[in-house]
């Protein structure tokens, strides 16, 4: 009997997307200027708790611009989580800088700040307000920490270390819009934070991103760089090499409609996670934990499969689920192992390597129905009988 395919994470477009997009088409405001772009920026800024927002074509572009406005120079080094999507590392290379990867902790899977502190204290020199990595001779100018899989990283701990060493902090919050950290929203404490509105993120604009900051001057620079560095209103005069990174009004219209549904999307993601936790308490299965200071949006609910205790590996379980028409996904190859970053330095890496072998993300779409989730749970339980 053919069974219905259950995807890992698909968009949910159930609100005002259609009327808002229609308005753009009816009025001709389809491109990179328009009221929806401004409204989308203002609404996200207010929601997250940052003063300024600059919408971009995608999250990767937002990260690239964030590093540029933080003053990251070619030949610099940037500390980056190694357990993340490749875009975090790519953005560093777009600036001509080099990533130094940082392992994560084993409970919440976020950047291990103790490793960052140890590296800065014991393996770098701090001279004239600059950090120099003794082994490479390069300047370390920024830290990019990622809020992985919907869960916040420990930003206060990182900010304390970064302050001591005069490092700029960029938060890759692309996976965690709406998550809470010590009462505030994720993305509200770093110097610059970035979000993505790709199709699989908690809200989508098809493709899109945003950069947020409380610093008016950095926001001005970011807006300038994302719009080809045009320096005259009337004429085509540009004062530096800029980028065509601005989000279109059409996409922002979808974003405004999606934002109206964000709280219900998060509630659904949390309910999905609770149900997995309730039903998957099986020998050999654990999952990404939630810190006492955090409230996760559970973007992708991710289990850890202990092969010996469960009776099969994460990849074997994935293949069984695939055969049952259920999509699941191993997490990213740690960036320190990626062919994209040969010979990169990594601080630790053992936790990341272990997660790569054992972690598996389960279907977590906002539209996942109870019978669909029951099918996923039954399929997993049957594998270990
Ligand atoms: C999705 C994602 C990005 C990039 O977002 P795009 O909009 O796809 O460019 C960056 N970092 C992380 C951690 C992501 O998950």
């Amino acid at each position: 009997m053919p069974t219905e395919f259950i995807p890992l994470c698909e968009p949910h477009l159930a609100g005002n997307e259609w009327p808002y997009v229609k308005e753009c088409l009816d009025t001709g405001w389809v491109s990179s200027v328009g009221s929806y772009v401004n409204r989308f920026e203002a609404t996200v800024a207010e929601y997250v708790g940052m003063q300024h927002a600059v919408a971009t074509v995608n999250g990767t572009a937002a990260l690239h611009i964030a590093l540029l406005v933080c003053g990251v120079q070619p030949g610099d080094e940037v500390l980056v989580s190694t357990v993340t999507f490749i875009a975090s590392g790519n953005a560093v290379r777009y600036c001509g800088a080099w990533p130094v990867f940082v392992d994560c902790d084993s409970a919440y899977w976020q950047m291990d700040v103790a490793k960052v502190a140890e590296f800065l204290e014991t393996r770098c020199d701090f001279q004239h307000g600059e950090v120099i990595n003794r082994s490479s001779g390069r300047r370390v100018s920024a830290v990019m920490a990622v809020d992985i899989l919907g869960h916040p990283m420990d930003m206060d701990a990182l900010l304390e270390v970064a302050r001591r060493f005069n490092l700029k902090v960029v938060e890759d919050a692309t996976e965690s819009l709406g998550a809470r950290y010590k009462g505030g929203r994720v993305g509200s404490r770093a110097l610059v934070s970035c979000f993505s509105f790709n199709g699989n993120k908690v809200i989508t604009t098809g493709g899109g991103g945003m950069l947020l900051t409380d610093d008016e001057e950095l926001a001005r620079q970011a807006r300038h760089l994302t719009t080809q560095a045009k320096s005259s209103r009337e004429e085509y005069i540009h004062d530096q090499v800029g980028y065509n990174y601005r989000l279109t009004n059409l996409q922002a219209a979808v974003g405004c409609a999606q934002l109206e549904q964000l709280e219900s999307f998060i509630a659904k993601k949390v309910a999905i996670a609770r149900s997995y936790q309730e039903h998957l308490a099986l020998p050999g299965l654990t999952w990404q934990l939630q810190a006492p200071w955090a409230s996760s949006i559970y973007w992708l609910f991710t289990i850890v499969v202990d092969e010996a205790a469960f009776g099969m590996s994460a990849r074997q379980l994935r293949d069984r689920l695939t055969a049952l028409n259920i999509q699941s996904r191993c997490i990213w190859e740690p960036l320190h192992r990626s062919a994209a970053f040969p010979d990169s330095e990594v601080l630790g890496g053992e936790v990341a390597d272990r997660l790569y072998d054992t972690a598996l993300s389960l279907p977590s779409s906002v539209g996942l129905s109870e019978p669909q989730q029951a099918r996923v749970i039954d399929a997993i339980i049957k594998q270990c009988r």
Side-chain angles (χ1 to χ4, degrees):
M1 194 179 72
T3 52
E4 173 204 17
F5 175 65
I6 301 180
L8 185 72
C9 191
E10 58 178 10
H12 197 70
L13 302 152
N16 286 319
E17 290 84 356
W18 186 248
Y20 291 176
V21 168
K22 187 173 183 306
E23 189 192 318
C24 296
L25 298 179
D26 288 344
T27 59
W29 290 100
V30 294
S31 196
S32 55
V33 177
S35 61
Y36 281 113
V37 180
N38 299 339
R39 180 165 139 198
F40 190 43
E41 287 175 340
T43 314
V44 174
E46 196 196 334
Y47 177 80
V48 168
M50 279 282 214
Q51 291 290 315
H52 309 280
V54 178
T56 55
V57 284
N58 54 53
T60 311
L63 292 172
H64 180 195
I65 297 297
L67 291 171
L68 288 179
V69 301
C70 283
V72 172
Q73 299 285 327
D76 281 358
E77 289 182 344
V78 177
L79 292 155
V80 188
S81 309
T82 193
V83 176
T84 179
F85 179 54
I86 193 145
S88 317
N90 284 346
V92 174
R93 293 296 297 121
Y94 297 165
C95 300
W98 300 98
V100 172
F101 294 112
V102 185
D103 206 351
C104 60
D105 72 84
S106 57
Y108 317 127
W109 312 353
Q110 312 299 325
M111 179 183 270
D112 186 340
V113 178
K115 287 214 162 52
V116 173
E118 187 197 6
F119 169 75
L120 294 168
E121 286 161 5
T122 66
R123 290 164 57 190
C124 295
D125 291 323
F126 192 50
Q127 317 161 328
H128 316 296
E130 288 195 342
V131 181
I132 307 294
N133 179 352
R134 235 177 273 131
S135 70
S136 67
R138 295 181 185 130
R139 178 176 86 132
V140 183
S141 53
V143 185
M144 187 196 286
V146 188
D147 304 293
I148 286 300
L149 296 169
H151 188 290
M153 60 98 42
D154 189 356
M155 186 51 78
D156 280 352
L158 181 65
L159 287 175
E160 186 275 320
V161 175
R163 209 172 291 127
R164 271 198 283 138
F165 289 89
N166 202 21
L167 296 179
K168 303 286 201 306
V169 175
V170 172
E171 183 172 11
D172 178 346
T174 46
E175 300 179 356
S176 302
L177 178 65
R180 284 185 174 278
Y181 173 70
K182 297 183 178 174
R185 293 273 182 212
V186 150
S188 63
R189 296 193 185 208
L191 181 60
V192 184
S193 61
C194 298
F195 290 96
S196 165
F197 311 112
N198 185 28
N200 65 1
K201 297 294 178 357
V202 62
I203 63 164
T204 187
T205 57
M210 200 174 287
L211 173 162
L212 301 177
T213 181
D214 276 336
D215 187 308
E216 191 174 352
E217 175 53 21
L218 292 189
R220 193 198 60 75
Q221 285 175 26
R223 193 171 298 279
H224 189 58
L225 282 174
T226 55
T227 51
Q228 303 278 30
K230 192 163 179 281
S231 55
S232 159
R233 257 181 185 279
E234 298 79 22
E235 297 190 29
Y236 282 88
I237 297 172
H238 308 261
D239 55 18
Q240 59 180 307
V241 176
Y243 301 86
N244 181 11
Y245 276 180
R246 189 103 176 112
L247 190 75
T248 67
N249 204 48
L250 264 181
Q251 292 165 305
V254 176
C256 287
Q258 288 271 290
L259 267 181
E260 293 167 356
Q261 305 160 79
L262 176 58
E263 288 312 312
S264 69
F265 287 4
I266 293 171
K268 188 65 207 289
K269 294 255 189 204
V270 171
I272 289 169
R274 295 277 172 272
S275 180
Y276 279 134
Q277 289 168 340
E278 190 180 321
H279 294 100
L280 292 180
L282 304 169
L285 289 193
T286 50
W287 40 78
Q288 182 190 27
L289 298 177
Q290 181 173 254
W293 38 259
S295 92
S296 177
I297 61 160
Y298 294 97
W299 172 52
L300 292 179
F301 186 79
T302 304
I303 56 173
V304 172
V305 183
D306 177 331
E307 183 169 0
F310 187 72
M312 71 175 68
S313 70
R315 284 178 173 74
Q316 286 170 324
L317 177 58
R318 174 199 61 195
D319 293 344
R320 297 283 180 90
L321 293 174
T322 303
L324 294 167
N325 232 358
I326 296 167
Q327 188 182 16
S328 62
R329 196 171 67 194
C330 297
I331 64 167
W332 320 274
E333 179 185 46
L335 299 195
H336 69 271
R337 284 165 56 162
S338 170
F341 312 110
D343 307 319
S344 53
E345 186 169 358
V346 58
L347 313 180
E350 299 78 16
V351 181
D353 288 343
R354 197 166 65 241
L355 283 176
Y356 180 52
D357 290 338
T358 56
L360 190 69
S361 298
L362 301 180
S364 302
S365 301
V366 165
L368 187 74
S369 68
E370 280 179 29
Q372 285 174 324
Q373 190 174 10
R375 233 183 84 203
V376 178
I377 290 165
D378 288 346
I380 295 171
I381 291 173
K382 283 200 189 86
Q383 303 310 317
C384 62
R385 286 242 177 86

